[in-house]
């Protein structure tokens, strides 16, 4: 992963989220709470310790518990029910206390690797592009407020960059921190900032607007909601903890102040690290392995495909990239009516392993010429995996880094769910556009998807030490 390092303590000028005084106050409070019979929810099981399980009578197996907790656990479920009925006490509190050790721990448990993992804010590229997918994500766009010009925009990016650096180091926000992420580690938090087409006219920087940021063409699969598309400024937030991600989102929104107003926000998720014993490419809500042929940083032409070269035009975009963002609704009710075999024909890969229908494992090269007994291609001509291949699109390639979403249900009960598609490329006219045009002409998957929102953003290179994101544009 790029811009990742061994977890380290924040520097002295960026204090951690938790102070010694606060720890003492929370310990005293926890002691009083446990004495009243409420479970100590902050208890942490050391890595490698046996997992505790609850047996029917309320006792705990698989690990040591205190004598007090053992005595409490002897109270039968029937007796608890009778007591609750007679006294009017909430059973949730009494039943919860029966399953946990009563005495709070005076020791501070170390962060697990999940919480301690840290991405670096400063670097050649912005974080959140080549970093591993996180389990939680927020995509948010802002429009500059009336009267906000280049000077105010620079101040906003300076505030956002300072907040991003602090929070990514596991520290609190500099002002009015909400305490939502108190006690949490960095949790692989990343911020990525980008500029939309309208940003340049609002700040008087039209001459610095890249040609690659010209609006995307219309596609036949588009059913776009303009209110949830585009925007002057775009922020991508990712983390492996939901509270850390939300805390970051609120900090950014508060920092916007009167300079920018929220245009749209989308929330997403992926599988949590460690949720499977067999790490693999991410799965989407259709159950398909998604992103098998993603370019890899180890590829010789990776930088050429994904990042603007240092000698690129305009100069302020050196080492930057372009993000295409699409909210793609999956018509899951229709999709799930298909048999697994039919789904595999639509995609061109095995649902269980991601292997191409032509044989092999997930990473085996797809044999587009292989035919079945009837002489037809084993991988159908309109299969999604065939159509999206770079060698079928003049070499067009992009780095896909999406999140899944689920925003409830329609009036008819259909899930409002799908993919927050985010892809990265050095030039969208040579990356996203030719592939999407090819999909428009006959992708079997298009019957089961609907593109409902879209945005294109210029994402400058990473900020050097002492710089803020976009400084070379706004002060160049």
């Amino acid at each position: 992963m790029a811009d990742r390092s061994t977890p380290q303590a924040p520097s002295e000028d960026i204090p951690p989220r938790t102070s010694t005084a606060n720890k003492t106050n929370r310990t005293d409070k926890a002691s009083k709470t446990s004495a009243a019979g409420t479970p100590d929810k902050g208890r942490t099981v050391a890595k490698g310790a046996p997992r505790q399980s609850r047996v029917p009578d309320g006792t705990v197996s698989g690990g040591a518990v205190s004598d007090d907790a053992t005595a409490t656990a002897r109270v039968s479920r029937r007796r608890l029910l009778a007591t609750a009925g007679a006294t009017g006490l909430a059973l949730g509190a009494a039943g919860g206390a029966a399953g946990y050790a009563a005495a709070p721990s005076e020791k501070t448990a170390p962060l697990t690797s999940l919480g301690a993992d840290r991405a670096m804010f400063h670097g050649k590229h912005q974080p959140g592009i080549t970093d591993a997918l996180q389990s939680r994500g927020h995509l948010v766009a802002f429009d500059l407020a009336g009267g906000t010009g280049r000077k105010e925009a620079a101040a906003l990016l300076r505030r956002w960059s300072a907040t991003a650096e602090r929070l990514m180091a596991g520290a609190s926000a500099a002002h009015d921190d909400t305490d939502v992420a108190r006690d949490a580690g960095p949790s692989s938090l990343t911020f990525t900032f980008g500029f939309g087409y309208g940003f340049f006219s609002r700040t008087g920087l039209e001459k610095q607007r890249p040609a690659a940021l010209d609006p995307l063409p219309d596609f036949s699969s588009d059913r776009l909601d303009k209110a949830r598309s585009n925007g002057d400024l775009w922020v991508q937030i990712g983390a492996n903890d939901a509270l850390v991600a939300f805390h970051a989102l609120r900090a950014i929104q508060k920092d916007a102040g009167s300079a920018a107003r929220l245009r749209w926000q989308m929330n997403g998720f992926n599988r949590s690290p460690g949720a499977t014993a067999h790490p693999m490419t991410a799965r989407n809500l259709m159950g398909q392995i998604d992103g098998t042929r993603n370019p890899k940083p180890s590829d010789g032409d990776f930088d050429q495909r994904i990042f603007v070269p240092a000698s690129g035009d305009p100069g302020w975009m050196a080492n930057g990239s372009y993000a295409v963002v699409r909210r793609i609704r999956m018509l899951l009710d229709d999709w799930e009516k298909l048999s697994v075999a039919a789904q595999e024909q639509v995609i061109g890969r095995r649902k269980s392993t991601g292997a191409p229908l032509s044989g092999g494992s997930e990473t085996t090269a797809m044999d587009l010429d292989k035919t079945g007994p009837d002489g037809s291609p084993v991988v159908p001509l309109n299969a999604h995996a065939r159509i999206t291949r770079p060698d079928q699109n003049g070499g067009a390639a992009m780095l896909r880094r999406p999140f899944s979403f689920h925003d409830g249900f329609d009036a008819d009960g259909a899930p409002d769910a799908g993919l927050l598609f985010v892809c990265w490329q050095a030039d969208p006219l040579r990356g996203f556009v030719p592939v999407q045009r090819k999909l428009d002409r006959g992708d079997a998957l298009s019957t089961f998807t609907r593109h409902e929102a879209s945005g294109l953003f210029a994402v400058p290179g990473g900020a050097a030490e002492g710089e803020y994101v976009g400084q070379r544009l706004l002060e160049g």
Side-chain angles (χ1 to χ4, degrees):
M1 293 177 285
D3 298 332
R4 296 291 288 274
S5 69
T6 302
Q8 54 187 291
S11 60
E12 292 182 0
D13 60 331
I14 304 180
R17 292 190 179 111
T18 308
S19 66
T20 303
N22 286 336
K23 286 183 181 178
T24 303
N25 291 338
R26 285 195 304 279
T27 301
D28 293 342
K29 184 177 179 181
S31 299
K32 294 176 183 178
T33 304
S34 294
T38 302
D40 177 10
K41 296 183 180 179
R43 184 168 178 263
T44 303
V45 179
K47 185 175 181 180
R51 184 186 297 271
Q52 293 183 345
S53 60
R54 194 80 55 84
V55 295
D57 66 355
T59 61
V60 176
S61 66
V65 293
S66 69
D67 292 338
D68 290 343
T70 303
T72 304
R74 292 196 184 102
V75 180
S76 69
R77 176 175 173 81
R78 181 176 297 176
R79 184 174 176 183
L80 282 173
L81 289 168
T83 303
T87 63
L89 295 174
L91 181 60
Y100 290 84
S105 173
E106 296 294 336
K107 297 181 179 180
T108 301
L111 290 171
T112 65
S113 60
L114 187 69
D117 283 348
R118 177 183 174 185
M120 306 308 292
F121 176 72
H122 295 292
K124 183 178 180 180
H125 310 296
Q126 285 197 56
I129 301 176
T130 58
D131 296 87
L133 281 171
Q134 298 108 319
S135 60
R136 294 290 185 273
H138 299 293
L139 308 180
V140 56
F142 296 84
D143 285 333
L144 293 176
T148 297
R150 180 174 175 176
K151 179 180 178 181
E152 293 78 12
L156 172 57
L157 268 297
R158 191 179 296 111
R159 290 196 300 274
W160 274 355
S161 295
T163 294
E165 183 179 4
R166 293 178 66 90
L167 268 57
M168 285 175 59
S172 59
H175 305 288
D176 301 322
D177 191 87
T178 62
D179 284 345
V180 171
R182 182 175 289 278
D183 300 323
S187 301
S188 300
L189 174 65
T190 60
F191 293 82
T192 319
F193 302 100
F195 304 118
Y197 187 87
F199 177 85
F200 297 86
S201 56
R202 291 179 181 271
T203 55
L205 292 166
E206 293 96 332
K207 292 183 179 179
Q208 291 297 320
R209 181 191 289 135
L213 199 58
D214 285 349
L216 296 172
D218 294 331
F219 301 104
S220 62
S221 59
D222 286 353
R223 302 291 184 272
L224 304 182
D225 178 359
K226 292 183 178 180
R228 292 193 292 182
S229 299
N230 300 312
D232 295 339
L233 290 160
W234 175 70
V235 186
Q236 175 189 250
I237 296 169
N240 280 330
D241 179 79
L243 287 183
V244 168
F246 178 80
H247 176 250
L249 175 65
R250 288 295 297 139
I252 287 296
Q253 290 175 330
K254 291 171 69 175
D255 277 349
S258 60
R261 60 181 183 276
L262 183 69
R263 181 178 177 88
W264 53 259
Q265 178 194 322
M266 301 176 189
N267 309 315
F269 57 90
N270 284 303
R271 172 172 280 163
S272 298
T276 171
H278 305 286
M280 59 182 70
T281 311
R283 286 189 186 272
N284 59 36
L285 298 188
M286 287 179 163
Q288 301 293 146
I289 292 178
D290 195 339
T292 296
R293 290 186 58 84
N294 250 348
K296 297 176 178 58
S298 58
D299 297 341
D301 60 353
F302 180 83
D303 282 1
Q304 178 184 344
R305 290 172 179 263
I306 308 305
F307 295 110
V308 176
S311 59
D313 184 33
W316 65 267
M317 272 295 290
N319 302 314
S321 188
Y322 291 90
V324 174
V325 182
R326 309 277 281 185
R327 185 185 194 271
I328 304 177
R329 176 82 167 267
M330 292 178 173
L331 308 181
L332 294 178
D333 283 348
D334 294 335
W335 174 256
E336 291 164 4
K337 291 175 183 176
L338 298 179
S339 66
V340 171
Q343 292 176 354
E344 292 175 342
Q345 290 288 304
V346 169
I347 301 298
R349 292 183 176 273
R350 299 295 177 196
K351 189 171 185 179
S352 58
T353 64
L357 296 184
S358 55
S361 64
E362 179 190 350
T363 57
T364 299
M366 184 176 288
D367 184 353
L368 300 182
D369 297 325
K370 186 175 182 178
T371 58
D374 61 354
S376 60
V378 171
V379 180
L381 296 177
N382 63 349
H384 184 74
R386 175 190 282 265
I387 291 177
T388 57
R389 288 171 56 91
D391 58 10
Q392 300 295 300
N393 295 279
M398 49 194 161
L399 176 65
R400 305 171 73 262
R401 197 177 183 276
F403 292 93
S404 293
F405 74 87
H406 179 216
D407 293 335
F409 298 86
D410 289 344
D412 60 359
D416 183 5
L419 197 69
L420 299 181
F421 177 89
V422 182
C423 71
W424 301 90
Q425 57 260 286
D427 184 350
L429 293 179
R430 294 188 289 110
F432 173 78
V433 171
V435 176
Q436 188 58 37
R437 280 176 170 159
K438 187 77 171 289
L439 292 172
D440 254 12
R441 293 196 291 268
D443 175 30
L445 186 60
S446 63
T447 303
F448 305 96
T449 60
R450 187 165 61 224
H451 292 235
E452 297 183 334
S454 179
L456 172 61
F457 303 96
V459 176
E465 293 283 350
E467 286 187 346
Y468 62 87
V469 173
Q471 182 169 334
R472 279 162 275 176
L473 167 66
L474 291 162
E475 298 185 16

